[in-house]
Amino acid sequence: MCGIFGFILNRSLKEEDILNGHRSTLKLSHRGPDASGKWFDKEAGVYFGHTRLSIIDLSSKSDQPISLFGMKCVFNGEIYNFMELRSYLLTKGYKFKTTGDAEVLLASWHY
């Protein structure tokens, strides 16, 4: 199972905040030993961290946080009917870059 960590502050992020976010994400490495990633917006005061246990899409293309249509996502779980949702999105003309369910999640919000 993956690990997710995040926070939103009512101020801009400082370097110390980013370092603390990175350290906190690293503490979740036992939940996701295959990859880790982070995304933050200093001005907005937002930090996302993710540790990945690769199950569905084993490629690095599905590493998180994932960005799509200006949205960012860290996702821990599995969408059991993601293949059905993926098929539907293909009929709408969406062209997938991964075979993972996190991209299906973001694409579903967009469409």
Side-chain angles (χ1 to χ4, degrees):
M1 183 169 287
C2 301
I4 59 172
F5 176 81
F7 58 83
I8 301 172
L9 301 176
N10 289 325
R11 59 170 171 77
S12 297
L13 295 180
K14 299 176 184 174
E15 291 303 318
E16 182 180 343
D17 300 320
I18 296 167
L19 183 58
N20 285 335
H22 180 68
R23 285 182 189 142
S24 297
T25 302
L26 285 176
K27 290 181 180 185
L28 298 173
S29 63
H30 65 285
R31 293 184 55 98
D34 298 325
S36 67
K38 66 180 180 243
W39 174 86
F40 56 87
D41 183 326
K42 275 188 169 183
E43 284 186 34
V46 178
Y47 182 98
F48 289 156
H50 186 272
T51 60
R52 182 169 180 225
L53 178 62
S54 302
I55 296 174
I56 293 176
D57 182 344
L58 305 181
S59 79
S60 61
K61 291 179 183 178
S62 283
D63 287 352
Q64 294 183 42
I66 187 170
S67 300
L68 193 61
F69 303 112
M71 299 179 288
K72 312 292 185 213
C73 176
V74 290
F75 175 65
N76 179 17
E78 183 178 343
I79 302 172
Y80 295 104
N81 66 334
F82 88 97
M83 290 303 289
E84 293 169 39
L85 296 170
R86 181 183 171 88
S87 295
Y88 171 77
L89 292 167
L90 286 169
T91 68
K92 296 296 183 186
Y94 182 74
K95 297 188 184 332
F96 284 90
K97 297 171 186 73
T98 73
T99 57
D101 54 355
E103 184 180 10
V104 171
L105 177 66
L106 283 180
S108 295
W109 278 328
H110 182 74
Y111 282 84

